[in-house]
Amino acid sequence: MKARIRDAATAVTAVSTAVVLSACGADDASDDASGGSDATTIGLLLPDSTTARWETQDRLLLEREIKERCADCEVEHGNAKGEVAAQQEQMDSMITRGVDAIVLVAVDSKALAGSVGKAADAGIPVIAYDRLAEGPISGYVSFDGEEVGRLQGRALLTAMGESADDSQIVMMNGDLSDPNAVAFKKGALSVLRGKVKIGKEYDTAQWRMETAHMNMSSALASLGAESIDGVYAANDGLAAGSIAALKANKVEPLPPVTGQDAELRAVQRIVTGDQYMTVYKPFAPEASAGAAMAVAAARGDNLDEVATDSVTTDGRTVPAVMLTPIPVTADTIEDTLVKDGAYTVEQICTPAVRAACEQVGLT
């Protein structure tokens, strides 16, 4: 059963209280691994810097939330820059140093399965964050990926209106080595298949914006600008690359384009009408749940006290926190992103988009 954000927050608050009431170990930075330091160390491994959220949102929130739950905990951070081998080396390094838990956003879930297994063999719990990693993970925190795709697909049909039945779209999917991308695509197709013609479909390696730009240019050359009625873009980066290609090819008016992650520039594109929608996945509840699970795992506590749900992976049932994504269009920016404090009106409505903000009622 899917847990609503408020349910997850309640569970996280409960376990957070329990964790904070327990000491996390003495902090002695001068002790090395052989010196018997009692400090608790949690590794945080991010997949890339291509998607803005990892360094600008998740990392900062996770580090803060971990510290709030365990003042003496140390967080060691690594970013694989999209390279599987780099992330495998980072995992090996953390295992060798004997960290107490690892929060992992896998570059490639299958390729990292062996590293997850090594960590488990060394007694180090791995929390899969946002992406479901393969191997013996101890816990999982994310959003309902198929629902993300369904929200995007429904929004695209709504944007195309009564002409949707006769419409042709381009699908700009994510990197299918990311299980989330598979879920997004599955959810979107469950809504779009049989409703529209999919003229071209691309799976975008490493979620690269420039690859989306190249693929959209190819779709335009093949289909013709007048034949593209909508663009399913799996996230805001792919939306940005697709929109840039459409503009470079003088497509006007732009077809509706979906997105995900509610990046600030994407929100501004929605205000100006360049992008139709995005999917908001509140980072704070996700990071709060991830931090609570990581601290509990590092201390050897039962993760069922944190988890509000479970997932099955590799034939095992794993404690999980599954949060609910939220669609955002120009009409709902104020009631979602601004209301939640994700952005202020001032951050969104810079001089370049102020006139557009007035038109949609943001100023």
Side-chain angles (χ1 to χ4, degrees):
M1 181 178 66
K2 291 185 294 184
R4 293 285 174 181
I5 291 174
R6 61 176 178 271
D7 299 328
T10 301
V12 169
T13 300
V15 77
S16 300
T17 302
V19 171
V20 170
L21 289 174
S22 301
C24 287
D27 183 13
D28 187 352
S30 64
D31 287 343
D32 59 21
S34 62
S37 171
D38 291 330
T40 300
T41 303
I42 296 173
L44 172 57
L45 294 182
L46 302 176
D48 60 66
S49 53
T50 302
T51 302
R53 61 169 290 189
W54 302 127
E55 292 290 347
T56 63
Q57 296 280 352
D58 296 270
R59 176 186 174 184
L60 301 179
L61 287 167
L62 278 163
E63 289 177 342
R64 186 188 73 191
E65 294 285 343
I66 288 170
K67 282 293 186 181
E68 285 184 0
R69 286 161 176 75
C70 180
D72 294 332
C73 281
E74 299 173 358
V75 180
E76 295 190 6
H77 160 261
N79 191 309
K81 307 292 186 183
E83 298 293 333
V84 169
Q87 193 165 66
Q88 289 170 330
E89 290 175 4
Q90 291 167 354
M91 284 283 287
D92 287 344
S93 176
M94 289 191 174
I95 292 167
T96 299
R97 294 201 302 278
V99 300
D100 297 285
I102 296 173
V103 178
L104 172 67
V105 189
V107 174
D108 183 316
S109 60
K110 292 183 179 179
L112 267 295
S115 297
V116 174
K118 288 181 184 178
D121 290 343
I124 301 172
V126 175
I127 306 302
Y129 183 85
D130 201 74
R131 298 176 180 177
L132 184 59
E134 295 190 9
I137 60 172
S138 296
Y140 178 48
V141 177
S142 191
F143 287 80
D144 184 336
E146 289 189 31
E147 179 63 9
V148 170
R150 288 190 290 268
L151 292 173
Q152 293 168 321
R154 291 177 194 135
L156 193 56
L157 292 178
T158 298
M160 291 188 294
E162 294 180 358
S163 62
D165 288 346
D166 299 319
S167 297
Q168 178 170 246
I169 69 167
V170 173
M171 288 195 74
M172 203 67 65
N173 303 308
D175 187 336
L176 297 191
S177 67
D178 173 358
N180 282 351
V182 177
F184 304 150
K185 181 177 179 178
K186 181 179 179 181
L189 286 174
S190 73
V191 173
L192 296 171
R193 188 179 282 124
K195 298 286 188 180
V196 296
K197 179 182 178 182
I198 301 172
K200 289 289 182 180
E201 183 176 357
Y202 303 93
D203 300 324
T204 315
Q206 297 184 6
W207 294 90
R208 291 189 178 279
M209 185 188 307
E210 57 270 28
T211 304
H213 186 289
M214 178 183 67
N215 288 338
M216 181 55 67
S217 297
S218 176
L220 285 163
S222 176
L223 302 174
E226 69 285 352
S227 298
I228 298 176
D229 302 301
V231 178
Y232 168 81
N235 78 352
D236 291 334
L238 301 186
S242 299
I243 291 167
L246 291 165
K247 287 188 169 185
N249 283 273
K250 313 294 185 191
V251 176
E252 190 177 341
L254 291 172
V257 181
T258 67
Q260 178 188 181
D261 289 334
E263 294 180 0
L264 179 57
R265 290 185 181 180
V267 177
Q268 292 170 333
R269 288 194 297 271
I270 291 171
V271 168
T272 61
D274 288 347
Q275 183 171 325
Y276 177 67
M277 65 86 71
T278 188
V279 177
Y280 171 42
K281 301 188 298 186
F283 300 125
E286 186 178 22
S288 182
M293 195 169 278
V295 171
R299 292 187 49 76
D301 294 340
N302 190 337
L303 296 188
D304 288 336
E305 296 181 9
V306 184
T308 54
D309 208 334
S310 63
V311 296
T312 301
T313 177
D314 295 333
R316 299 167 56 248
T317 299
V318 176
V321 174
M322 301 300 293
L323 305 171
T324 304
I326 303 167
V328 177
T329 62
D331 293 335
T332 61
I333 290 171
E334 188 169 13
D335 290 336
T336 55
L337 299 171
V338 175
K339 184 177 180 180
D340 277 7
Y343 305 114
T344 64
V345 170
E346 290 72 23
Q347 287 175 307
I348 297 169
C349 299
T350 59
V353 299
R354 190 165 294 150
C357 279
E358 291 177 0
Q359 290 185 345
V360 301
L362 269 181
T363 57

